[in-house]
Amino acid sequence: MESYLKREVVHTEVLVLGGGSGGIGAALAAAREGAKTMIVDRQGFLGGNMTIGLPLLAFLDAQGRQVTGGLPQEIVDRLTELGGSFGHRECPLHNSTTVIDPQLMKIVVFEKIKEYGVQPLLHCEIIGVNVEDGVLKSVILKGKGKEIEVFADVFIDATGDGDVAYMAGAEFEKGQYANGETQPPTLMFTVGGFNLEKFMDHLEEHPEELRHGHSMKIRPGYTAEFLRASENHVFVGLKNTISKLREEGKCPISRDTIIYINLPREGYIALNCIRILNFDGTKVEELSRGEVESHLQVLPLIDMLKEHIPGFENIYLSSIAPFLGIRETRRIIGKQMIREDAAVNGIIPDDTIALGSYIIDIHSGTNDSTVIRSLAGPYGITYGAVISKDVKRLMLSGRCISVDPVVFGSSRVMPTCMAIGEGAGIGAALAVQQKIAPEDVDVQEIRRRLRNHGAILSLEDVAATAGAQ
């Protein structure tokens, strides 16, 4: 049977696959350095999980010190100008919260890619790769009835799931070492009509609803008074109420707490509550199941909250995210791997291109629990962790970089992913300009350029940033 599918051939210098936080950081940084840069995404917008109501977590470490700067800070600054963020606030549970307006985030990201000259290619699926003798030569896309084969000097897989690396034959890991389970996805949705003051009154009368079980050890100070003091907060709690409702068969979700993000719009919150268990986000069949099951939990959850929780009586559905928020799938094996002892002990090597500091936050993929461990300070994410061990000219950004499953529980948050992308993007641009492999780029030159743009790469940088504030 004759095929009428047309193929177009395109050339660029740096091709970034995936337009979430890791891809945005990489594409903006590569273009800022002068490389001809293209970014690809399946959606009609860029920003990924930054556009579904989630907060930006852990710009600050457990001691309240800013550990992420550079492009992530530049984007928050612009959001703040537009009234789409309150900036960063210390949080006893998350180290810090930076709530954002998800709709304004879409606009800000488009502003930035236009400012830096990134070429977007949206509404495209990645359907194949061309690898010759272990070298990635091109990626094949499909959209609107045609195929587009994109040749590039350097490719950056920022798909989250490591789809390009997987297709190219790169070695990967998936899930926890003990049992292989992956953290469950969430379908984010937003409600209006929330009465914040009434809910805070309820928490003050029932402080036990802010206490967590042994698996969620948090620093003191996570109280109703703390939450009431600022709109810039993320609520995690109602464990007693949810447990009771589940026992009575009145709770439609497979988790032990309610999480909401207070948005920079009065009366609006984003709910991060739905879990799909025993889920594999690398399979279209599972993604299809997850979308159906999660959508069908939205209205029952709203009804439960309206009936049983003060402050939620008048909430109404405002929007549903256009895709599942996937927490965990593949981690691609790189030239280096960041391991648990490095994160726990705060090791920051001299080839660090980004700092991580978020708590180790592992949601069970098989039950309703969450394990949280605090970190005393930041740890380093090294350049070797963003370069594929197996496939030449392939770099990594975002949550699919080379980390073990415990570190993944910390490194997967969006400010860290964007900071990683900024370092990877500079590395890619230098490789193009110098006509060398990404692994041969001078890491100290990458670090110098990162610092010139306000990135934070060491405890000395952390101290300098604190002193300047």
Side-chain angles (χ1 to χ4, degrees):
M1 183 176 178
E2 188 175 354
S3 172
Y4 291 95
L5 198 64
K6 297 180 179 179
R7 176 173 291 189
E8 178 182 338
V9 175
V10 174
H11 296 262
T12 191
E13 291 179 334
V14 176
L15 179 63
V16 178
L17 291 309
S21 54
I24 291 299
L28 293 177
R32 188 180 62 194
E33 295 299 321
K36 182 181 179 183
T37 304
M38 180 181 291
I39 189 167
V40 175
D41 200 87
R42 68 180 62 174
Q43 307 294 338
F45 56 89
L46 295 168
N49 285 340
M50 296 192 295
T51 70
I52 63 176
L54 289 168
L56 304 178
L57 299 176
F59 267 88
L60 314 182
D61 72 358
Q63 299 181 46
R65 304 173 298 186
Q66 184 160 354
V67 296
T68 301
L71 278 171
Q73 183 62 52
E74 183 179 326
I75 285 178
V76 170
D77 288 344
R78 176 58 178 149
L79 280 169
T80 303
E81 288 178 9
L82 296 174
S85 175
F86 304 120
H88 315 311
R89 182 192 183 207
E90 290 186 58
C91 175
L93 179 54
H94 302 97
N95 292 351
S96 72
T97 54
T98 308
V99 300
I100 56 175
D101 184 312
Q103 303 308 319
L104 286 176
M105 176 61 86
K106 294 179 184 178
I107 294 171
V108 168
V109 170
F110 276 148
E111 285 181 349
K112 291 298 178 184
I113 69 160
K114 191 167 184 180
E115 175 185 348
Y116 287 115
V118 177
Q119 180 185 351
L121 196 55
L122 307 179
H123 300 289
C124 285
E125 287 282 352
I126 303 160
I127 62 169
V129 300
N130 175 19
V131 179
E132 297 178 9
D133 298 323
V135 180
L136 181 57
K137 298 287 190 178
S138 66
V139 171
I140 303 167
L141 312 172
K142 184 178 180 180
K144 303 304 293 180
K146 71 176 179 181
E147 290 182 353
I148 305 171
E149 185 171 12
V150 185
F151 288 82
D153 298 310
V154 179
F155 302 80
I156 302 179
D157 187 338
T159 60
D161 302 321
D163 288 337
V164 174
Y166 169 74
M167 290 186 219
E171 184 181 352
F172 67 92
E173 295 179 344
K174 188 164 67 172
Q176 300 297 307
Y177 285 152
N179 51 23
E181 75 174 52
T182 58
Q183 298 188 54
T186 288
L187 180 69
M188 295 290 297
F189 64 97
T190 299
V191 298
F194 176 61
N195 189 324
L196 177 62
E197 290 305 311
K198 189 170 184 180
F199 182 59
M200 292 298 113
D201 291 343
H202 174 68
L203 291 180
E204 287 181 348
E205 293 171 9
H206 299 278
E208 70 278 3
E209 292 287 22
L210 276 166
R211 298 189 190 121
H212 298 86
H214 64 86
S215 66
M216 294 185 73
K217 296 177 181 177
I218 61 176
R219 305 195 306 276
Y222 194 72
T223 63
E225 182 180 10
F226 166 80
L227 295 170
R228 194 195 287 273
S230 173
E231 295 175 275
N232 188 357
H233 70 256
V234 175
F235 169 79
V236 183
L238 296 176
K239 188 179 180 73
N240 293 347
T241 298
I242 296 302
S243 296
K244 179 175 179 293
L245 291 172
R246 290 191 70 187
E247 289 173 4
E248 297 172 355
K250 298 177 180 177
C251 178
I253 56 173
S254 298
R255 64 169 303 124
D256 57 352
T257 54
I258 293 294
I259 301 177
Y260 78 66
I261 297 93
N262 197 56
L263 297 177
R265 297 170 59 200
E266 186 174 354
Y268 285 86
I269 56 174
L271 286 156
N272 177 359
C273 303
I274 291 171
R275 278 185 177 178
I276 303 299
L277 301 180
N278 304 303
F279 178 87
D280 185 345
T282 65
K283 298 179 179 178
V284 292
E285 298 85 357
E286 285 289 279
L287 289 167
S288 302
R289 173 178 75 89
E291 293 283 5
V292 173
E293 290 186 11
S294 57
H295 276 78
L296 294 180
Q297 292 178 36
V298 171
L299 294 181
L301 178 55
I302 289 175
D303 289 342
M304 182 199 80
L305 294 169
K306 290 174 71 170
E307 183 176 351
H308 296 284
I309 312 297
F312 287 80
E313 295 92 342
N314 297 314
I315 63 171
Y316 56 88
L317 180 62
S318 173
S319 65
I320 300 176
F323 51 80
L324 282 173
I326 306 298
R327 284 192 176 89
E328 180 176 17
T329 49
R330 306 182 188 99
R331 304 181 311 279
I332 308 305
I333 306 299
K335 297 285 187 183
Q336 299 171 340
M337 180 181 286
I338 314 301
R339 300 189 181 275
E340 179 180 358
D341 62 337
V344 171
N345 294 313
I347 296 173
I348 304 175
D350 62 6
D351 55 349
T352 290
I353 60 167
L355 296 181
S357 71
Y358 184 55
I359 56 178
I360 293 170
D361 179 6
I362 302 175
H363 297 243
S364 173
T366 57
N367 60 54
D368 65 358
S369 66
T370 303
V371 174
I372 284 181
R373 290 167 57 190
S374 294
L375 299 175
Y379 59 92
I381 295 168
T382 58
Y383 185 60
V386 305
I387 298 175
S388 168
K389 175 179 71 71
D390 305 310
V391 181
K392 295 185 184 305
R393 292 168 44 181
L394 176 62
M395 300 182 72
L396 314 165
S397 184
R399 64 177 169 85
C400 68
I401 67 165
S402 186
V403 296
D404 76 13
V406 175
V407 176
F408 177 84
S410 166
S411 65
R412 64 185 176 85
V413 293
M414 294 179 287
T416 305
C417 287
M418 204 185 315
I420 291 166
E422 185 172 10
I426 292 174
L430 290 175
V432 168
Q433 291 159 4
Q434 298 171 15
K435 295 181 170 52
I436 58 176
E439 57 266 37
D440 295 330
V441 172
D442 181 356
V443 181
Q444 298 311 315
E445 178 61 18
I446 297 173
R447 284 160 57 85
R448 185 187 69 79
R449 296 188 184 210
L450 281 168
R451 285 190 168 110
N452 285 344
H453 292 288
I456 301 170
L457 304 178
S458 67
L459 289 176
E460 291 75 18
D461 294 348
V462 170
T465 301
Q469 292 173 344

